[in-house]
Amino acid sequence: MTGDPTPRVRVHRPSGAAPRFDDAQPTTVVLVRHGETSMTVSRGYSGSSEPGPSLTEHGRRQAADAGELVCRVGHDLWGDIPFPSELICSPMIRTQETAGIIGDRIGLSPRIDEGFKEADFGAWQGLTAEQIESRWPGQLEPWHTEATVRPENGESIADVGVRVGAALDGLLAAGTDRTVVVVSHAVAIRAALGVTMGAQPGSWSQLRVAPASVSIIRLFHDRRHEIAVVGVPSEGWSRN
């Protein structure tokens, strides 16, 4: 299969879709987390204050699998969704590399949008959960479960939600009845999903966003948004 953007016949409001009683068309956003990095392996908090690290070799294979999965959108998977026509990534090296691999598969060049960068972990940057807990006892869990807790010189999850929400609003304002692929990060993607469904920021950490996983949201002007897919793993979806 090639990256031919001609989709199969699209189905209008398939069974199981969020109920609507009009013909409004959404902006569909396919959210892809970047592939594995050395920080993913070490379980360090890798935020937006440093550009690196790069993908590992395994991370590059994950990105290729993500490209295969994204290329099936509008073909044999999620047929009511248009084939992607735009590709966006955060400014971090790992997301640019992942987006480049996906773009080669679907025939699109990525552009950078700062709105989809990862949380700024401030003084926690590069540290593991155990190191953070040792140096700032009792602060890490509340950062995940309470809206306004901030690391020193960093962002709260609510801060990330405001930034990501504004970026999503920009995609919706730019036009509907289209699909945009956004390559981003775990916390930022959780924020995008949480903002879309109107959930409290303290619950966003309950969403699993694995490396190179795919989630899909559909944005409507009346803000009755839909979450279509959450956390589909990319590995194993390629077809030989």
Side-chain angles (χ1 to χ4, degrees):
M1 184 177 66
T2 67
D4 179 0
T6 303
R8 69 174 187 172
V9 175
R10 290 163 55 199
V11 179
H12 185 66
R13 306 303 300 162
S15 176
R20 291 195 65 90
F21 303 94
D22 56 31
D23 294 324
Q25 293 298 315
T27 300
T28 300
V29 182
V30 177
L31 299 159
V32 183
R33 185 183 171 192
H34 62 81
E36 177 193 89
T37 72
S38 59
M39 293 286 282
T40 313
V41 176
S42 69
R43 304 184 69 81
Y45 277 65
S46 182
S48 59
S49 62
E50 295 180 357
S54 296
L55 299 178
T56 62
E57 284 303 311
H58 180 56
R60 295 186 69 82
R61 290 192 295 272
Q62 289 178 320
D65 281 342
E68 292 294 333
L69 179 53
V70 171
C71 195
R72 294 176 65 181
V73 171
H75 283 103
D76 64 325
L77 292 175
W78 307 300
D80 62 313
I81 296 175
F83 189 86
S85 59
E86 186 176 359
L87 175 60
I88 294 172
C89 64
S90 92
M92 316 333 293
I93 291 172
R94 55 197 179 275
T95 44
Q96 292 189 61
E97 291 176 340
T98 301
I101 293 169
I102 293 172
D104 287 344
R105 185 66 184 90
I106 63 175
L108 295 173
S109 297
R111 70 171 176 87
I112 292 173
D113 188 330
E114 292 269 350
F116 293 107
K117 66 185 180 181
E118 182 56 304
D120 187 338
F121 295 121
W124 297 352
Q125 171 64 30
L127 303 179
T128 65
E130 292 77 14
Q131 291 170 326
I132 295 169
E133 183 61 28
S134 174
R135 300 183 194 185
W136 293 273
Q139 293 188 30
L140 183 57
E141 183 177 358
W143 182 82
H144 284 282
T145 60
E146 299 177 18
T148 58
V149 175
R150 293 185 180 92
E152 181 182 341
N153 299 320
E155 291 182 298
S156 70
I157 53 175
D159 294 332
V160 179
V162 170
R163 169 166 52 77
V164 170
L168 293 175
D169 286 345
L171 296 183
L172 178 59
T176 58
D177 198 20
R178 66 193 182 104
T179 297
V180 181
V181 179
V182 174
V183 182
S184 187
H185 309 263
V187 175
I189 291 173
R190 287 184 184 127
L193 294 166
V195 167
T196 298
M197 64 184 173
Q200 293 299 313
S203 68
W204 297 349
S205 62
Q206 296 171 244
L207 295 163
R208 178 179 291 194
V209 182
S213 62
V214 172
S215 303
I216 300 176
I217 58 179
R218 312 199 77 191
L219 308 175
F220 292 85
H221 281 296
D222 64 3
R223 309 198 74 79
R224 290 179 55 237
H225 304 321
E226 177 184 29
I227 294 180
V229 176
V230 177
V232 172
S234 296
E235 292 176 292
W237 283 83
S238 59
R239 300 188 301 177
N240 300 317

